Amino acid sequence: MAPTTDNAGYAGDAGTARSSLEALRAEIAKAVVGQDPAVTGLVVALLCRGHVLLEGVPGVAKTLLVRALASALELDTKRVQFTPDLMPSDITGSLVYDARTAEFSFQPGPVFTNLLLADEINRTPPKTQSSLLEAMEERQVTVDGTPRPLPEPFLVAATQNPVEYEGTYPLPEAQLDRFLLKLTIPLPPRQDEIDVLTRHAEGFNPRDLRAAGVRPVAGPADLEAARAAVAKTSVSPEITGYVVDICRATRESPSLTLGVSPRGATALLATARAWAWLTGRDYVIPDDVKALALPTLRHRIQLRPEAEMEGVTADSVINAILAHVPVPR
């Protein structure tokens, strides 16, 4: 689909929506080198009305990736830099006294947007982290007893540094479970890093995505059409059983103190359906489940301390389970 800034120009049918969302990769690549898996994960989250946790060391373009996605989808976006002194009202908004009217009025916070970039979310204490719980789950904010709905679509893309870094507050299990996906952003391979430096040497400015050529290639109508199509993607009883067997296996793993909850199983089924539709099918196969198992489940399990000391990781546990759980034919 040709880039356009006119939302009325988006057809909004399923076929056009798939083509438009596929074009996101090429559009975001104008600003971000590599990171195709992260781009796909963000699109899957939008299709499933979920939220994404991006983890990686500083400087691997986590923030730029989210900004480029918002620009390519023509969505409103706001960024909050999480710091130890950030208060919940700094995110959700608060009541402000107006001396002229002698009344309190609600001043919306940055959460009232389509795509909220929560930068370094684990730099702020749990009290402020938890202020996002209602927004992420209920898609509304309650202030002074009055619920206020958030715009649609709404997605929280939170970045965090690895937990071993100083000055971080690990996210509690309840909040981690609210994220549909946890995407790891690795350091780029040598050639990709050369490409990044070459772009900067040629004048690339990460703060000016328009100058980099990033244009809207999809819009809200495409997202709605895509979501409707994903909802019609069929799932056989065998696939449902396969998802349940994978999640139940995590609860029996000797390496884990916490396995995947039924909410996690529901999330895996949802992301597998979205991936199946993106790849051009209207039904789910076992490979769709396998493709999304790591990003959907890795943050929903908890390793035993002795397993961590032996070098076991969440990804290695999930991979081992995928290798042993019988695959339906």
Side-chain angles (χ1 to χ4, degrees):
M1 182 176 182
T4 174
T5 56
D6 181 9
N7 276 345
Y10 298 127
D13 62 90
T16 302
R18 184 186 286 114
S19 300
S20 299
L21 294 177
E22 287 173 351
L24 281 176
R25 294 183 185 180
E27 204 64 25
I28 293 173
K30 295 177 181 178
V32 181
V33 177
Q35 308 298 359
D36 273 356
V39 174
T40 300
L42 286 165
V43 173
V44 166
L46 280 167
L47 294 179
C48 298
R49 292 182 169 85
H51 308 285
V52 176
L53 184 63
L54 301 167
E55 183 176 278
V57 298
V60 290
K62 299 188 296 293
T63 302
L64 179 60
L65 175 63
V66 174
R67 289 179 53 241
L69 175 71
S71 182
L73 280 173
E74 204 169 29
L75 296 177
D76 180 54
T77 181
K78 291 185 175 67
R79 175 180 176 272
V80 177
Q81 181 65 51
F82 280 65
T83 58
D85 60 348
L86 195 73
M87 299 297 291
S89 59
D90 295 329
I91 301 170
T92 61
S94 59
L95 294 176
V96 178
Y97 182 72
D98 188 338
R100 292 174 298 178
T101 62
E103 295 180 350
F104 285 93
S105 61
F106 178 67
Q107 183 66 37
V111 75
F112 286 86
T113 186
N114 296 125
L115 203 161
L116 176 67
L117 175 57
D119 219 351
E120 294 188 299
I121 190 173
N122 60 338
R123 290 286 184 191
T124 197
K127 179 180 180 181
T128 305
Q129 292 174 359
S130 65
S131 66
L132 282 174
L133 283 176
E134 181 187 16
M136 293 170 68
E137 188 68 18
E138 305 296 335
R139 300 181 181 274
Q140 66 178 25
V141 168
T142 301
V143 176
D144 196 33
T146 302
R148 294 173 169 85
L150 295 172
E152 181 62 38
F154 173 69
L155 179 144
V156 174
T159 72
Q160 72 170 12
N161 297 320
V163 294
E164 62 267 19
Y165 274 52
E166 293 184 5
T168 59
Y169 299 84
L171 293 172
E173 291 81 2
Q175 180 136 6
L176 282 172
D177 205 37
R178 296 307 196 279
F179 286 99
L180 181 73
L181 301 172
K182 178 181 177 182
L183 306 174
T184 56
I185 311 298
L187 288 167
R190 182 175 185 272
Q191 186 55 53
D192 282 356
E193 196 163 0
I194 290 174
D195 292 345
V196 170
L197 268 62
T198 301
R199 288 188 181 190
H200 280 265
E202 293 172 350
F204 171 70
N205 181 1
R207 296 171 184 82
D208 188 357
L209 295 178
R210 291 287 180 178
V214 179
R215 297 290 185 269
V217 293
D222 292 302
L223 279 178
E224 282 305 310
R227 288 170 172 176
V230 169
K232 296 176 182 176
T233 302
S234 64
V235 182
S236 69
E238 291 78 14
I239 293 295
T240 303
Y242 183 50
V243 170
V244 169
D245 289 343
I246 290 171
C247 295
R248 291 181 68 86
T250 65
R251 302 168 203 163
E252 300 168 0
S253 171
S255 299
L256 303 178
T257 59
L258 179 68
V260 177
S261 69
R263 183 190 313 195
T266 302
L268 180 54
L269 184 62
T271 56
R273 293 177 82 184
W275 177 245
W277 180 81
L278 280 172
T279 52
R281 280 178 283 100
D282 60 357
Y283 57 92
V284 180
I285 62 175
D287 283 349
D288 299 324
V289 177
K290 291 181 178 180
L292 273 297
L294 284 178
T296 308
L297 303 181
R298 59 163 59 109
H299 56 297
R300 304 175 192 272
I301 61 178
Q302 194 171 82
L303 292 168
R304 293 186 183 277
E306 55 269 27
E308 285 190 273
M309 293 177 64
E310 294 172 359
V312 176
T313 65
D315 284 11
S316 65
V317 172
I318 295 171
N319 280 326
I321 288 172
L322 291 175
H324 286 89
V325 172
V327 179
R329 297 184 180 278

